[in-house]
Amino acid sequence: MNDLSPLVQEARADFEQATAPADLENAKARYLGKTGRITEQLKALGALSPDDKKARGALINAAKQQIEAALNARRDALADAELQTQLKSEALDVTLPGRKRGAGGGLHPISRARERIEAIFGSMGFDVADGPEIETDWYSFTALNNPENHPARSMQDTFYVDIKDAHGAYLNLRPHTSPMQVRYAQAHARRYAGQATMPDIRVIVPGRTYRVDSDATHSPMFHQVEGLWIGENVSFKDLKVMYLEFIQAFFETTELKLRFRPSYFPFTEPSAEIDIMFERGPLEGRWLEVSGSGQVHPNVVRNMGLDPERYVGFAFGSGIDRLAMLRYGISDLRAFFEGDLRFLAQFN
Ligand code: PHE
């Protein structure tokens, strides 16, 4: 009976040679496959006597087990090697500096402009107030001296909400920030009611406003900042001085001119559009409208709960989007509201 240990040795060496799983499977077939060397030995058993068959069979099985053990050991070794190479190629250098997340966002140019406006008026002693975007007919129109049939109330200009207020009038999406003139002044007047004197009302109200309007310079949702200054000694001169100071601070230049052009608003008398003109730069020499303004109408002062014989003042309403467009040199208002990151990221 020939010794099987050389065959086992041979198989071991053969398996060691295999460096890839496929090679190893081929090597396995040479010993354990259908025509493999061990299989061949087992087939040959049939020709032996029962006793020899038993002894020989035990030897072959022992050899087979050794070969299988060698095969499994090699399989594990190859899998382990493969894992090691994979780990090496995917290794993380934990000592490298961390990757930063994308720029992470920033303030919208309109928000930047609004914050600038708030800071400038804040430094001039103005309060900053906020008001409802869904308004009543009274605050948006009636309290502001709008006659019942004024075109501003029409569906062509104002968005209405399908909800009625206590007086049976539909609510509206405020078409301007002016309703806050009356809301703010009423609260102020109530607070100082019965006292000998009342501090001046000095407030700005930046916020969203809505009108049925849409083109390169108009958006159905836009932003205004209302300004109101009311006291016993306030005049149009104060408006001019204050607005010039604001606009110079906003554009960071004294090289611009201001012009008050007669206009009409039901809630101011007299009324004026405020135009500005840059004396330098790309917009040089052109008058640009930036605000409505005027002395608050006595009827409006009365609706504020104040005596128009004693209190006078002025109001203005400027377009924040318009100011931002001029400051950043943007010609199409819609760019502000499209949400294109390539546009927005430039401001941060
Ligand atoms: N509310 C006016 C508008 O939206 C602007 C304005 C405000 C005019 C205050 C005068 C005084 O056009």
Side-chain angles (χ1 to χ4, degrees), residues 175-178 181 211 224 226-227 265 267-268 292-294 315-317:
H176 51 182
T177 42
S178 301
Q181 286 183 30
R211 273 181 217 175
Q224 282 192 339
E226 195 78 8
F265 298 101
F267 36 95
T268 45
S293 70
F316 64 83

Side-chain angles (χ1 to χ4, degrees), residues 1 22 52 73 98 146-147 154 172 176 198 216 219 262 274 280 282-283 289 294 299 307 314 331 346:
M1 284 204 222
D52 286 351
N146 275 82
S154 94
N172 58 74
H176 51 182
M198 178 189 86
S219 152
I274 307 178
R280 248 174 222 270
L283 296 165
E289 185 180 315
N299 288 346
D307 176 5
F314 59 79
S331 53
Q346 298 175 72

Side-chain angles (χ1 to χ4, degrees), residues 231-265:
E232 292 185 53
N233 252 313
V234 185
S235 76
F236 222 93
K237 180 194 71 193
D238 298 305
L239 168 62
K240 285 182 135 179
V241 170
M242 183 226 54
Y243 207 87
L244 180 64
E245 197 174 315
F246 157 65
I247 215 77
Q248 288 182 341
F250 185 82
F251 289 109
E252 295 174 276
T253 176
T254 50
E255 293 178 308
L256 53 76
K257 283 200 171 81
L258 220 59
R259 171 173 87 175
F260 286 77
R261 187 163 37 85
S263 184
Y264 170 78
F265 298 101

Side-chain angles (χ1 to χ4, degrees), residues 94-121:
V94 292
T95 65
L96 281 176
R99 240 175 272 147
K100 296 208 176 67
R101 294 184 57 194
L107 284 183
H108 190 279
I110 301 284
S111 301
R112 287 183 172 264
R114 178 178 47 74
E115 290 194 348
R116 247 188 112 62
I117 294 167
E118 290 176 8
I120 296 166
F121 279 104

